[in-house]
Amino acid sequence: MTDHNPFGSKKPLTLAEGGEGTYYSLAVLEEQGIAKLGALPYSIRVLLEAALRNHDGFLVREEDVAEIGGWTPNGERREIPFIPARVILQDFTGVPAVVDIAACRNAIVDLGGDPTKVNPAVNVDLVIDHSVQVDVDGRHADALIRNLNIEYRRNDERYAFLKWGQKNLDRFRAVPPGRGIVHQVNLEWIATVAHRDEAGVFYPDSLVGTDSHTTMINGLGVLGWGVGGIEAEAVMLGQPIYMLAPDVVGFRLTGSLEPGVTATDMTLRIVEMLRKKGVVGKFVEFYGPGMRSLPLADRATIANMAPEYGATCGFFPVDEQTLAYLRLSGRDEDHVKNVEAYYRAQGLFHSDDAPEPAFSDMLELDLGDVEPALAGPKRPQDRVDLSAMKRHFETSLTAKVGFAGHGVAPDAIATEVPVEGTDYRLGHGKVVIGAITSCTNTSNPSVMLAAGLLARNARRRGLVAKPWVKTSLAPGSRVVTEYYEKAGLLEDLAATGFNVVGYGCTTCIGNSGPLDSKIEAAIDAGKLIVGSVLSGNRNFEGRVHNKVKASYLASPPLVVAYSLAGTLDIDLTTEPLGQDQDGKDVFLKDIWPSPEEIQETIRQCISPEMFREKYGDVMTEPRWDEIATEEVELYPWNADSTYVQLPPFFQGMTADAGVIAPIRGARVLLKLGDSVTTDHISPAGSIPEDGPAGRYLKEHGVPKSAFNSFGSRRGNHEVMMRGTFANVRIKNQIAAGTEGGYTTHFPSGKVESVYDAAMKYVAAGTPLVVLGGTQYGTGSSRDWAAKGTLLLGVKAVITKSFERIHRSNLVGMGVLPLCFEDGEGADELGLDGTETFDIPIAADVKPLSKIEVTATKTDGSVRTFTATVRLDTPVEVDYFKNGGILHTVIRKLARG
């Protein structure tokens, strides 16, 4: 932060504990005619404050302040800088980020620079929450400790590396395993809402994170969103985020939820509405009288799923509910008073009588219209009313294979397969995974206590989860277990199959662990479409489990209900879950807890002391504390490690950027359809034994039982590049008849793994392109989806449209993103993937410029088409010219 203050905006702030702080007043900008604060959305005001406070005439200029201050709902959008207060990481994306920072130290030494210049310039918190798997399910009382023990055994190399980072990097803190999900730890403990620096200057808490669901913190009025790991690393090294000033869509909430309708149901409705509206790259800001009825946890649930509705963030301004949550979660009272004083003085505090900001567009939802629902079977925006689920699933079975269909032949609908050693059979629609999991719902007291109370009522009627359902309960916070225990619900959950299995993302990230081998054998034998029901935010193909093709998002109590029923082929609004001890039918309505019971349990069983106690020891864990590490500037890379390797991104790097050359004679590595996700590009789950990554691990002495997951091996580029485009459900159109990571190598015509073909192309000096459809790169902010693309030799990705984070990641790695003209695409242009491509990219490229791409077919005929260069800003052009963000930063640091 700089003291340079040409606007004369520094003002005093009286503190609750006595004395004075200061802040940079936005009101001064209004007095000077630079901004009309009442008309600005609150989220834009936060961007404006950051620009005002960080103004230095270089990274942030006077014209940047004026640009943000002059924001209008539908004005011209220019590039603006944003310097967030901090960065947050989880371990799947955090390990490669820290690997890259460590590699940057090596690179700057190679350029004759000082490695200690490579240090986080802002506070960085990494929460280890993605590595725990459900190896031991929720039917075992000791599942929590057994899974944690397995986690440490699997990940000792990774954790030792993170301990090195904690010891040797400035402003870097790692929260040990078993402490909670990153976004909940952020919400309950890390977030300040208002920061105060060493000089006593107050400013809004803000952040970027390497997980797409970083957006959850916007429910607390803290502006933040997910970025690519590469972009986050640049922020860690002191670079601003450069972005086009966003459109802001206002979402007006009215009314209140009806009894029996949960925050999850509300969020799935909002996801559906906003996906239909189209808000990719935009901010969404919530307002209206319905806000009063939404406790902070419900707001966080909505904010969490911004990636699912496509927005950069879903923002709730700071108001009385924010202050109430800070007190509930055990924050210091003086701090809460200072937060209120600062936000009121700054014009950032929302109240009912505040002027309504001007928005680029608006939607409205009466919360009373929301119905219980699920979303699936393959995308989170595909909402299904609970009352329509049976009809929906039956239709989806025989529907054409796609987002809503499985393509089962009508004569195979009744297929049932006996499960060896049991007295039951599996058929289509059986639920084999029931998981209360993920950041979205598992720390919202209303839905978590609803699940516990439903389990209590089910237990009293003698109902338990069906034996073929793998059940799990993975809360986002240890505080959940505390209030479950105080409410006496842990025993009820355990009795129905839901013992706590861990504190982490588990099933939602793909760490569902193995199904029983006999269950898997039955699925394979019958080619069954079996289901999972999870309280998560992601249900893309192949993500939850590679044997499960029908995955539905649902509230925690509905997860319990479907586990009791054991099937998707049921109407829970009219058909019984099962029978009680007397043979009497038990319906969902019979065991669903009332809103009054839920709220009374919340009132009696949750207190600030619980949060203070659980976060009092959050940074310590016995096994973590025992990990030894060295104090050394350069990480001692171990050539034999299969978890952490020095990446090759900076090999041969020179002090000056090279010259951009046209891409000539490029071959197509993959031709893909619409909505290809980062899970398709870079899977996070299990590593197939017979794939290139599995073969690599076996060649290096790693047995199948110790493979762990792709997500846990993101510190090793050799594993990750072999796993790129290797999702078992990816469908490459130039490898017809295959599913998974296969392609056709040209000109040989041989069908082989994507990795093997790519290495042949690399050896021959042949550049590669990928062709895609709409919404390419949807899903998690997975840096390896871009890194792996680069390492396979891909120079450009040409699509109809990109999801925001993945496009940014491609730029950050020096891969050129291009978009077809509206109404055009590979199919429309008659491109089948056998062509060679010439792309005339040059050093004088301008943001969002048009270029003519030439595709030459095997018969020599030529098709030329126009593509938009998706380098959206001058800074992105600079990154691309340098070969990526980190190359740009290293060169600047090396020059001093």
Side-chain angles (χ1 to χ4, degrees), residues 421-471:
T422 75
D423 59 357
Y424 56 82
R425 304 167 70 87
L426 288 187
H428 295 298
K430 293 299 186 185
V431 174
V432 296
I433 293 177
I436 300 176
T437 179
S438 95
C439 47
T440 312
N441 294 293
T442 62
S443 293
N444 185 326
S446 64
V447 292
M448 292 300 281
L449 284 169
L453 291 167
L454 189 143
R456 170 179 289 175
N457 296 337
R459 183 188 183 196
R460 288 171 177 169
R461 299 293 295 271
L463 300 183
V464 297
K466 291 295 189 288
W468 53 83
V469 184
K470 181 173 184 177
T471 50

Coordinates of all heavy atoms in Angstrom, one line a residue, residues 421-471:
G421 N -22.5 -62.3 -2.9 CA -22.4 -62.3 -1.4 C -23.5 -61.6 -0.7 O -23.4 -61.4 0.5
T422 N -24.5 -61.1 -1.4 CA -25.6 -60.3 -0.8 C -26.9 -60.9 -1.2 O -27.0 -61.7 -2.0 CB -25.5 -58.8 -1.2 OG1 -26.0 -58.7 -2.5 CG2 -24.1 -58.2 -1.1
D423 N -28.0 -60.3 -0.6 CA -29.3 -60.8 -0.9 C -30.0 -59.7 -1.8 O -31.3 -59.7 -1.8 CB -30.1 -61.1 0.3 CG -30.3 -59.9 1.3 OD1 -29.7 -58.9 1.0 OD2 -30.9 -60.1 2.3
Y424 N -29.3 -58.8 -2.3 CA -30.0 -57.8 -3.1 C -29.4 -57.7 -4.5 O -28.3 -58.3 -4.8 CB -29.9 -56.4 -2.5 CG -28.5 -55.9 -2.2 CD1 -27.7 -55.3 -3.1 CD2 -27.9 -56.0 -0.9 CE1 -26.4 -54.9 -2.9 CE2 -26.7 -55.6 -0.6 CZ -25.9 -55.0 -1.6 OH -24.6 -54.6 -1.3
R425 N -30.1 -57.0 -5.4 CA -29.7 -56.9 -6.8 C -29.7 -55.4 -7.1 O -30.4 -54.6 -6.5 CB -30.8 -57.6 -7.7 CG -31.0 -59.1 -7.4 CD -32.2 -59.6 -8.1 NE -32.1 -59.7 -9.5 CZ -31.5 -60.8 -10.2 NH1 -31.1 -61.8 -9.4 NH2 -31.4 -60.8 -11.5
L426 N -28.8 -55.1 -8.1 CA -28.7 -53.7 -8.6 C -29.4 -53.5 -9.9 O -29.3 -54.4 -10.8 CB -27.3 -53.2 -8.7 CG -26.5 -53.0 -7.4 CD1 -25.1 -52.4 -7.7 CD2 -27.2 -52.1 -6.4
G427 N -30.1 -52.4 -10.1 CA -30.6 -52.1 -11.4 C -30.4 -50.6 -11.7 O -29.8 -49.9 -10.9
H428 N -30.8 -50.2 -12.8 CA -30.7 -48.8 -13.2 C -31.3 -47.9 -12.1 O -32.4 -48.2 -11.7 CB -31.3 -48.5 -14.6 CG -30.7 -49.2 -15.7 ND1 -29.4 -49.0 -16.1 CD2 -31.2 -50.2 -16.6 CE1 -29.1 -49.8 -17.1 NE2 -30.2 -50.5 -17.4
G429 N -30.7 -46.8 -11.8 CA -31.2 -45.8 -10.9 C -30.9 -46.1 -9.4 O -31.3 -45.2 -8.6
K430 N -30.3 -47.2 -9.1 CA -29.9 -47.4 -7.7 C -28.9 -46.4 -7.3 O -27.9 -46.0 -8.0 CB -29.4 -48.8 -7.5 CG -30.4 -49.9 -7.7 CD -31.5 -49.8 -6.7 CE -32.5 -51.0 -6.8 NZ -33.7 -50.9 -6.0
V431 N -29.1 -45.8 -6.1 CA -28.2 -44.8 -5.5 C -27.0 -45.6 -4.8 O -27.3 -46.3 -3.9 CB -28.9 -43.9 -4.5 CG1 -27.8 -43.0 -3.8 CG2 -29.9 -43.1 -5.2
V432 N -25.8 -45.4 -5.3 CA -24.7 -46.2 -4.7 C -23.8 -45.2 -3.9 O -22.9 -45.7 -3.2 CB -23.8 -46.9 -5.8 CG1 -24.7 -48.0 -6.5 CG2 -23.3 -45.9 -6.8
I433 N -24.0 -43.9 -4.0 CA -23.2 -42.9 -3.2 C -24.2 -41.9 -2.7 O -25.0 -41.3 -3.4 CB -22.1 -42.2 -4.0 CG1 -21.0 -43.2 -4.4 CG2 -21.5 -41.1 -3.2 CD1 -20.0 -42.6 -5.3
G434 N -24.2 -41.8 -1.4 CA -25.0 -40.7 -0.7 C -24.1 -39.9 0.2 O -23.6 -40.4 1.2
A435 N -23.7 -38.7 -0.2 CA -22.7 -37.9 0.4 C -23.1 -36.6 0.8 O -23.5 -35.7 0.0 CB -21.5 -37.8 -0.6
I436 N -23.0 -36.3 2.1 CA -23.1 -34.9 2.6 C -21.7 -34.4 2.6 O -20.9 -34.7 3.4 CB -23.7 -34.9 4.1 CG1 -25.1 -35.6 4.1 CG2 -23.8 -33.5 4.6 CD1 -25.8 -35.7 5.4
T437 N -21.5 -33.5 1.6 CA -20.1 -33.1 1.3 C -20.1 -31.7 0.7 O -21.2 -31.2 0.4 CB -19.5 -34.1 0.3 OG1 -18.2 -33.7 -0.1 CG2 -20.4 -34.2 -1.0
S438 N -19.0 -31.1 0.6 CA -18.6 -29.9 -0.1 C -18.8 -28.6 0.8 O -19.5 -28.6 1.8 CB -19.5 -29.7 -1.4 OG -20.6 -28.9 -1.1
C439 N -18.2 -27.6 0.2 CA -18.3 -26.3 0.9 C -19.7 -25.7 0.9 O -20.1 -24.9 1.8 CB -17.3 -25.3 0.3 SG -17.4 -25.3 -1.6
T440 N -20.4 -26.0 -0.2 CA -21.7 -25.3 -0.4 C -22.7 -25.3 0.7 O -23.2 -24.4 1.2 CB -22.3 -25.8 -1.7 OG1 -21.4 -25.9 -2.7 CG2 -23.5 -24.9 -2.1
N441 N -22.9 -26.5 1.2 CA -23.9 -26.8 2.2 C -23.5 -27.2 3.6 O -24.2 -27.1 4.5 CB -24.9 -27.9 1.6 CG -25.6 -27.4 0.4 OD1 -26.4 -26.5 0.5 ND2 -25.3 -28.0 -0.7
T442 N -22.3 -27.8 3.7 CA -22.0 -28.6 4.9 C -21.6 -27.8 6.1 O -21.2 -28.3 7.1 CB -20.9 -29.6 4.7 OG1 -19.7 -29.0 4.3 CG2 -21.3 -30.6 3.6
S443 N -21.7 -26.5 6.0 CA -21.6 -25.6 7.2 C -22.8 -24.7 7.4 O -22.7 -23.7 8.2 CB -20.3 -24.9 7.2 OG -19.2 -25.8 7.3
N444 N -23.8 -24.9 6.6 CA -25.0 -24.1 6.8 C -25.9 -24.8 7.9 O -26.4 -25.9 7.6 CB -25.8 -24.0 5.5 CG -27.0 -23.1 5.5 OD1 -27.7 -23.0 6.6 ND2 -27.3 -22.5 4.4
P445 N -26.0 -24.2 9.0 CA -26.7 -24.9 10.1 C -28.1 -25.3 9.8 O -28.6 -26.4 10.2 CB -26.7 -23.8 11.3 CG -25.5 -23.0 11.0 CD -25.5 -22.9 9.5
S446 N -28.8 -24.5 9.0 CA -30.2 -24.9 8.7 C -30.4 -26.2 8.0 O -31.2 -27.0 8.3 CB -30.9 -23.8 7.9 OG -30.4 -23.6 6.7
V447 N -29.5 -26.4 7.0 CA -29.6 -27.7 6.2 C -28.9 -28.8 6.9 O -29.3 -30.0 6.8 CB -29.1 -27.5 4.8 CG1 -30.0 -26.6 4.0 CG2 -27.7 -27.0 4.7
M448 N -27.8 -28.5 7.6 CA -27.1 -29.6 8.3 C -27.9 -30.1 9.5 O -28.0 -31.3 9.7 CB -25.8 -29.1 8.8 CG -24.8 -28.8 7.7 SD -24.4 -30.3 6.6 CE -23.3 -31.1 7.7
L449 N -28.6 -29.2 10.2 CA -29.4 -29.7 11.3 C -30.7 -30.3 10.8 O -31.2 -31.3 11.4 CB -29.7 -28.5 12.2 CG -28.6 -28.1 13.2 CD1 -28.8 -26.8 13.9 CD2 -28.3 -29.2 14.2
A450 N -31.2 -29.9 9.6 CA -32.3 -30.6 9.0 C -32.0 -32.0 8.7 O -32.8 -32.9 8.9 CB -32.7 -29.8 7.8
A451 N -30.7 -32.2 8.2 CA -30.3 -33.6 7.9 C -30.2 -34.4 9.2 O -30.6 -35.6 9.2 CB -28.9 -33.6 7.2
G452 N -29.6 -33.8 10.2 CA -29.5 -34.5 11.5 C -30.9 -34.9 12.1 O -31.1 -36.0 12.6
L453 N -31.8 -33.9 12.1 CA -33.1 -34.1 12.6 C -33.9 -35.2 11.8 O -34.7 -36.0 12.3 CB -33.9 -32.8 12.7 CG -33.3 -31.8 13.8 CD1 -33.9 -30.4 13.6 CD2 -33.6 -32.3 15.2
L454 N -33.7 -35.1 10.5 CA -34.4 -36.1 9.6 C -33.8 -37.5 10.0 O -34.6 -38.5 10.0 CB -34.2 -35.8 8.2 CG -35.0 -36.6 7.2 CD1 -35.4 -35.8 6.0 CD2 -34.2 -37.8 6.6
A455 N -32.5 -37.6 10.2 CA -31.9 -38.9 10.5 C -32.5 -39.4 11.9 O -32.8 -40.6 12.0 CB -30.4 -38.8 10.6
R456 N -32.7 -38.5 12.8 CA -33.3 -38.8 14.1 C -34.7 -39.4 13.9 O -35.0 -40.5 14.5 CB -33.3 -37.6 15.1 CG -34.1 -37.9 16.3 CD -34.2 -36.7 17.2 NE -32.8 -36.5 17.8 CZ -32.5 -35.5 18.6 NH1 -33.4 -34.5 18.9 NH2 -31.3 -35.4 19.1
N457 N -35.5 -38.7 13.1 CA -36.8 -39.2 12.9 C -36.9 -40.5 12.1 O -37.7 -41.3 12.4 CB -37.6 -38.1 12.1 CG -37.8 -36.8 12.9 OD1 -37.7 -36.8 14.2 ND2 -38.0 -35.7 12.3
A458 N -36.0 -40.7 11.2 CA -35.9 -41.9 10.4 C -35.5 -43.1 11.4 O -36.0 -44.2 11.3 CB -34.9 -41.8 9.3
R459 N -34.5 -42.8 12.2 CA -34.1 -43.8 13.2 C -35.2 -44.3 14.1 O -35.4 -45.5 14.3 CB -32.9 -43.3 14.0 CG -32.3 -44.3 15.0 CD -31.3 -43.7 15.9 NE -30.7 -44.6 16.7 CZ -30.0 -44.3 17.8 NH1 -29.9 -43.0 18.2 NH2 -29.4 -45.2 18.6
R460 N -36.0 -43.3 14.5 CA -37.1 -43.7 15.4 C -38.1 -44.6 14.7 O -38.8 -45.4 15.3 CB -37.8 -42.4 15.9 CG -37.0 -41.6 16.9 CD -37.6 -40.3 17.2 NE -36.8 -39.6 18.2 CZ -37.0 -38.3 18.5 NH1 -37.9 -37.6 17.8 NH2 -36.3 -37.7 19.5
R461 N -38.2 -44.5 13.3 CA -39.1 -45.3 12.6 C -38.4 -46.6 12.0 O -39.0 -47.4 11.3 CB -39.7 -44.5 11.4 CG -40.5 -43.3 11.8 CD -41.8 -43.7 12.5 NE -42.7 -44.4 11.7 CZ -43.6 -43.8 10.9 NH1 -43.7 -42.5 10.9 NH2 -44.5 -44.5 10.2
G462 N -37.1 -46.8 12.4 CA -36.4 -48.0 12.0 C -35.8 -48.0 10.6 O -35.4 -49.0 10.1
L463 N -35.6 -46.8 10.0 CA -35.1 -46.7 8.7 C -33.6 -46.5 8.8 O -33.1 -45.7 9.6 CB -35.7 -45.6 7.9 CG -37.2 -45.6 7.7 CD1 -37.7 -44.4 6.9 CD2 -37.6 -46.9 7.0
V464 N -32.8 -47.1 7.9 CA -31.4 -46.9 7.7 C -31.1 -46.9 6.2 O -31.9 -47.2 5.4 CB -30.6 -48.1 8.3 CG1 -30.8 -48.1 9.8 CG2 -30.9 -49.4 7.7
A465 N -29.9 -46.4 5.9 CA -29.5 -46.3 4.5 C -29.5 -47.7 3.9 O -29.1 -48.7 4.6 CB -28.1 -45.6 4.3
K466 N -29.8 -47.8 2.6 CA -29.8 -49.1 2.0 C -28.4 -49.7 1.9 O -27.4 -48.9 1.8 CB -30.4 -49.0 0.6 CG -31.9 -48.7 0.6 CD -32.7 -49.9 1.1 CE -34.2 -49.8 0.9 NZ -34.8 -48.7 1.8
P467 N -28.2 -51.0 2.0 CA -26.8 -51.5 2.1 C -26.0 -51.3 0.9 O -24.7 -51.4 1.0 CB -27.1 -53.0 2.3 CG -28.5 -53.3 1.7 CD -29.3 -52.0 2.0
W468 N -26.5 -51.0 -0.3 CA -25.7 -50.7 -1.5 C -25.3 -49.2 -1.6 O -24.5 -48.9 -2.5 CB -26.4 -51.1 -2.7 CG -27.8 -50.5 -2.9 CD1 -28.1 -49.3 -3.4 CD2 -29.1 -51.1 -2.6 NE1 -29.5 -49.1 -3.4 CE2 -30.1 -50.2 -2.9 CE3 -29.4 -52.4 -2.0 CZ2 -31.4 -50.5 -2.7 CZ3 -30.8 -52.6 -1.8 CH2 -31.7 -51.7 -2.1
V469 N -25.7 -48.4 -0.6 CA -25.3 -47.0 -0.7 C -24.1 -46.7 0.1 O -24.0 -47.1 1.3 CB -26.5 -46.1 -0.1 CG1 -26.1 -44.6 -0.3 CG2 -27.8 -46.4 -0.8
K470 N -23.1 -46.2 -0.5 CA -21.9 -45.7 0.2 C -22.2 -44.4 0.8 O -22.2 -43.4 0.1 CB -20.6 -45.7 -0.7 CG -19.4 -45.3 0.0 CD -18.1 -45.3 -0.8 CE -16.9 -45.0 0.0 NZ -15.6 -45.1 -0.8
T471 N -22.3 -44.3 2.1 CA -22.7 -43.1 2.8 C -21.5 -42.4 3.4 O -20.5 -43.0 3.8 CB -23.7 -43.4 3.9 OG1 -23.2 -44.4 4.7 CG2 -25.0 -43.8 3.4

